[in-house]
């Protein structure tokens, strides 16, 4: 059946091949290279693909080659997400100010820029210097392969074909002038933006606002003359703890499972809105490629997924993907820096941005051999630029156009060894760990990512005074840029200079379980801790988050129990156990009951009757299921407690590296602030008209199609595996929207056939168009804690009662 269908599909694709090329796109007046690249699109005619839709609008895309596969993927993504995609393309072209105004806020999907003008100044600078084109021109594996370039070209052509053939119904961009045809360069620029999110992209405001000092201007702005180490450490830690970037994943070895084959549960925590959403698909080139999973919007490759042999997921790592160099400046000219006694003039990058209803804005950026100068009094990286000192940011991912090839290697892998081989060859993952399992029973965890080659020895010999504080505390190296012997050097097995090679990566092979929940590599398996890696990768022997502690407890118990199946993975995802509740709820209830007169004093100095809260907390089931009573009360209390009571005072039993999963413990209910937090939580819920024992789902929900959909899960601080970050709006009924959390979830195993045993869930659904039938269908499935059965093999696809076949061509 598979062979016969393959022939039918190949024949259909061949018959669909058209000879007409794409119409020429409107020329971009700001950039001659855009015109050249669009002209190139004229030669990309004759592309086609077959898109078969099954339940929940999941497309299964079949094509004869990579360019046609990219074409089908671009077409199908546009059908679901045209407005979000178009918005992102406006961003990477540096045209947000032109269409939306310079002062409007961005959505932070593709950089940390707070305003459109800052975003445009950065991305126009990237376009103006042909940074992406230069990376595309490098030979593989340092640059992208021919297959990936074909996917990018095809994606742009497919997106453009959808625009030409269809009417936009999404009110977010219907009839909008900024929805325009794109080029392969636009697609590649989006990859670039994702790659530098942890480095340059996370410091856009600091790059675009950095200006050499003049005495009067510096005094007027109140800019400090020396950096604040504590503020810088705090900024780096906040980046690492960014709620938009999280995840859990676990791989189980075959001897823990019922049939000796591996299992993988992936639970990435990503934004529910905007350009960093996942989109679900299956991609097939008969005889060459067959993979399913979630692709980041704008990407023609599967980012997290599975095939007949292997499944993988990613978690955001603790590695710090950038470092700083302190520049020693010429006292006579703050745009000249000195290295080994020789003067080097900074590169002045003048960028002009078109502005809606106004004259173009021109600003200057300053670049060095190390990267851009960063300076801001209150930005992402609070650093001064004085007459003697400045700081430059080194981001090795600014030379990384290898993300897509790494993912494509995963898509074609036949086991975890091939996953490692793709990582070793391409070295393209910018800021994530990889967790994988395969049908032969192997498990894998690796922190194989692009990091600046900061060894502990280099940091010891070359750190500035600032770096001696920031490196041990936060993993951020600040090196003496005036010394040539403080360069990052190169590993022999590294694909580019200045980064670590594969041999240095923390890696755990074939452990009974390999798990990560955004802490460092140390406890990927509590019985086989990883050590010996450089500080820039993360810490060893330090306190873990409640989510990591709860996850390790859960998966270690599962591995010990053995006989695991995909059903066990499904149960783990929706157990909704609250580690903070298990540790503290009983003590909170007991201390509550002991309060004199059943009252506590709130932050406003008023006495609050909290007596009814005591029994609610005592009876709470310690979960964040939608039907759980007491979960909302504990959630609101816990947020207030952790804000008021410092971590060092929160627990009676401190952290011990000898027992990192179970310490610290025993809540300190005598800590100042405990009773106040309880009073504030009770008063807050009563003021909103919310009963203390109300079901969580009555007040944690999203509104879709005018109806409330209850949302299970809980916030980071509670330690819940099924992480959800909702927006508190008591006037609207409680938590009325979700910003980030569980996204493209997959539970994957194998049964000896070529059809993976897979269950998936895209929590926010496939389309952001409110007029689409797939705007909220999987969100309702998520609400009910159910799963979508994967249709991977032909017999399953063809038997779908929702099957719809679309043949697309240009």
């Amino acid at each position: 059946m598979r062979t016969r269908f393959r022939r039918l599909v190949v024949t259909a694709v061949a018959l669909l091949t058209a000879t007409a090329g794409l119409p020429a796109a409107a020329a971009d007046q700001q950039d001659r290279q855009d015109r050249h690249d669009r002209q190139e699109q004229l030669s990309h005619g004759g592309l086609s693909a077959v898109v078969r839709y099954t339940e929940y609008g999941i497309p299964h895309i079949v094509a004869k080659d990579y360019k046609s596969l990219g074409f089908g993927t671009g077409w199908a993504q546009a059908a679901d997400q045209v407005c979000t995609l178009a918005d992102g393309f406006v961003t990477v072209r540096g045209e947000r100010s032109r269409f939306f105004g310079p002062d409007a806020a961005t959505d932070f999907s593709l950089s940390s820029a707070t305003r459109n003008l800052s975003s445009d100044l950065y991305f126009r600078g990237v376009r103006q210097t042909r940074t992406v084109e230069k990376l595309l021109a490098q030979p593989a594996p340092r640059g992208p392969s021919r297959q990936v370039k074909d996917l990018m070209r095809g994606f742009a052509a497919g997106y453009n074909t959808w625009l030409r053939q269809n009417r936009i119904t999404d009110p977010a961009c219907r009839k909008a002038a900024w929805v325009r045809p794109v080029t392969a360069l636009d697609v590649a620029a989006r990859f670039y933006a994702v790659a530098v999110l942890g480095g340059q992209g996370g410091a856009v405001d600091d790059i675009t606002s950095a200006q050499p000092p003049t005495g009067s201007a510096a005094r007027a702005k109140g800019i400090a003359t020396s950096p604040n180490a504590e503020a810088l450490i705090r900024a780096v830690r906040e980046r690492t703890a960014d709620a938009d970037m999280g995840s859990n994943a676990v791989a189980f070895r075959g001897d823990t499972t019922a049939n000796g084959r591996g299992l993988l549960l992936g639970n990435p925590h990503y934004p529910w809105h905007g350009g960093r959403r996942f989109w679900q698909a299956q991609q097939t080139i008969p005889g060459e490629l067959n993979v399913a999973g979630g692709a980041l919007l704008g990407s023609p490759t599967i980012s997290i997924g599975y095939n007949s042999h292997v499944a993988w997921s990613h978690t955001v790592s603790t590695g710090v993907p950038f470092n700083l160099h302190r520049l020693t400046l010429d006292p006579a000219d703050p745009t000249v820096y000195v290295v080994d006694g020789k003067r080097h003039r900074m590169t002045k990058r003048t960028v002009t941005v078109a502005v809606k209803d106004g004259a173009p804005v021109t600003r200057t950026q300053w670049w060095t051999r190390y990267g851009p100068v960063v300076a801001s009094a209150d930005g992402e990286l609070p650093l001064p630029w004085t007459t003697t000192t400045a700081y430059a940011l080194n981001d090795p991912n600014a030379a990384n156009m290898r993300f897509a090839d790494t993912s494509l290697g995963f898509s074609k892998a036949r086991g975890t060894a091939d996953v490692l081989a793709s990582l070793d060859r391409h070295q393209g993952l910018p800021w994530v760990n990889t967790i994988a399992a395969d049908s032969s029973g192997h498990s894998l965890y690796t922190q194989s990512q692009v990091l600046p080659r900061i060894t502990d020895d280099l940091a010891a010999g070359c750190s500035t005074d600032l770096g001696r504080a920031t490196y041990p505390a936060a993993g951020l190296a600040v090196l003496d840029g005036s010394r040539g012997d403080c360069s990052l050097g190169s590993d022999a097995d590294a694909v580019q200079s200045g980064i670590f090679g594969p041999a240095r990566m923390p890696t755990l092979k074939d452990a009974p379980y390999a798990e990560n929940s955004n802490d460092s590599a140390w406890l990927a398996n509590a019985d086989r801790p990883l050590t010996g890696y450089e500080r820039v990768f993360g810490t060893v022997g330090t306190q873990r988050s409640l989510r990591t502690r709860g996850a390790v407890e859960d998966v270690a118990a599962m591995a010990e129990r053995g006989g695991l199946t995909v059903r066990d993975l499904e149960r783990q995802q929706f157990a909704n156990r609250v580690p903070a509740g298990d540790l503290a709820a009983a003590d909170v209830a007991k201390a509550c009951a002991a309060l004199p007169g059943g009252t506590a004093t709130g932050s406003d100095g008023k006495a609050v009757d909290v007596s009814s809260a005591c029994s609610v907390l005592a009876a709470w089931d310690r979960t964040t299921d939608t039907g759980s009573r007491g979960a909302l009360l504990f959630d609101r209390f816990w947020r207030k407690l952790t804000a008021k009571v410092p971590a060092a005072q929160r627990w009676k039993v401190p952290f011990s590296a000898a027992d990192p999963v179970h310490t610290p413990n025993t809540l300190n209910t005598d800590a100042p602030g405990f009773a106040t937090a309880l009073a504030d939580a009770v008063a807050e819920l009563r003021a909103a008209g919310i009963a203390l024992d109300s079901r969580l789902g009555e007040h944690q929900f999203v509104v879709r199609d005018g109806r409330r959909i209850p949302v299970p899960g809980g916030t980071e601080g509670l330690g819940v595996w099924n992480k959800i970050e909702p927006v508190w709006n008591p006037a609207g009924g409680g938590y009325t929207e979700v910003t980030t959390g569980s996204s493209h979830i997959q539970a994957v195993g194998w049964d000896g056939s070529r059809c993976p045993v897979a269950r998936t869930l895209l929590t926010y659904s496939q389309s952001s168009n409110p007029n689409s039938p797939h705007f909220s269908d999987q969100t309702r499935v998520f609400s009910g804690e159910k799963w979508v059965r994967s249709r991977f093999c032909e017999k399953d696809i063809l038997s779908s009662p929702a099957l719809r076949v679309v043949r697309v061509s240009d």
Side-chain angles (χ1 to χ4, degrees), residues 432-593:
V432 292
N433 306 294
T434 300
I435 297 88
D438 65 29
S439 60
S440 297
H442 299 290
S443 67
L444 172 69
Y445 162 85
T446 182
Q447 188 182 346
S448 183
Q449 67 169 120
V450 176
L451 289 177
R453 189 180 172 277
I454 306 294
T455 66
D456 293 350
D457 288 342
L458 179 67
C462 289
S463 287
T464 65
D465 289 344
L466 179 62
R468 281 188 281 275
T470 61
Y471 185 70
L476 173 63
V478 185
L479 304 180
D480 185 348
S482 70
R483 293 170 50 190
D485 62 344
C486 290
S487 64
L488 301 191
S490 183
D491 284 349
D493 57 345
V495 74
Q496 74 181 67
S497 62
I499 69 171
F500 289 105
R504 302 266 200 153
M505 305 298 171
T507 299
L508 181 66
K509 300 179 184 178
D510 291 330
Y513 69 86
E515 194 278 340
N516 186 264
S517 292
N518 306 127
D519 271 313
S520 70
W522 179 45
L523 284 192
N525 183 291
D527 296 321
R528 291 173 55 179
L530 292 171
T531 59
Y533 46 85
E534 310 292 345
R535 173 64 184 88
V536 69
F537 284 91
T539 59
V540 171
T542 59
Q543 185 172 325
R544 306 289 92 174
S545 72
L546 281 175
R547 182 157 54 85
T548 291
R549 291 171 61 184
V552 171
E553 283 181 330
D554 290 349
V555 303
M558 291 168 69
E560 179 69 22
R561 186 172 71 248
L564 301 177
T565 68
V566 169
R567 183 71 184 108
D568 292 293
L569 305 183
E570 295 177 43
R571 281 191 286 265
Q572 169 62 20
Q573 174 60 41
F574 286 119
N576 290 324
R577 181 172 79 87
V578 181
D582 287 339
L583 284 169
D587 289 335
V588 174
K590 182 178 179 181
C592 174

Side-chain angles (χ1 to χ4, degrees), residues 43-185:
S43 63
H44 295 328
L47 300 178
S48 61
V50 176
V51 183
R52 299 171 293 167
Y53 287 97
T54 57
E55 293 92 330
Y56 305 102
I58 298 172
H60 306 258
I61 304 158
V62 185
K64 64 180 180 180
D65 54 34
Y66 284 97
K67 191 178 292 186
S68 291
L69 184 65
F71 176 83
T73 303
W75 188 96
Q77 273 200 31
D80 287 323
Q81 294 285 352
V82 64
C83 293
T84 306
L85 288 169
D87 185 89
F89 289 128
V90 171
T91 296
V92 297
R93 285 171 168 163
E95 295 181 333
R96 300 195 65 83
S97 300
R98 173 183 174 185
F99 291 106
F100 312 131
D103 297 323
T106 70
D107 70 353
F108 302 102
S109 291
L110 296 176
S111 83
S112 67
T114 53
R115 294 290 182 268
N116 287 337
L117 180 60
S118 177
S119 174
D120 291 340
L121 288 167
Y122 174 75
F123 284 109
R124 287 305 306 173
V126 170
R127 189 66 62 105
Q128 181 175 300
T129 54
R130 297 173 57 84
T131 299
V132 175
E133 293 96 316
K134 293 172 185 176
L135 295 177
L136 290 171
Q138 293 183 348
R142 187 178 174 90
S145 67
R146 170 58 60 183
Q147 294 170 336
V148 162
K149 290 179 181 177
D150 282 348
L151 283 166
M152 291 178 180
R153 293 187 184 105
F155 187 98
Y159 176 90
N160 294 340
T161 297
W162 188 92
L163 284 182
R164 190 176 71 248
Q165 296 176 348
N166 294 274
R167 180 174 60 87
I168 296 173
T169 64
D170 189 339
C173 69
R174 187 169 49 213
K175 298 182 179 180
W178 48 269
V179 182
R180 299 181 296 159
V182 301
T183 69
L185 177 60

Side-chain angles (χ1 to χ4, degrees), residues 625-646:
D625 289 331
T626 56
S628 176
R629 296 182 183 273
L632 183 63
L633 171 61
F634 186 83
D635 175 347
R636 298 309 299 169
F637 158 75
W638 194 252
R639 290 172 189 260
K640 297 177 189 304
L641 177 80
T642 53
K644 290 180 179 298
V645 179

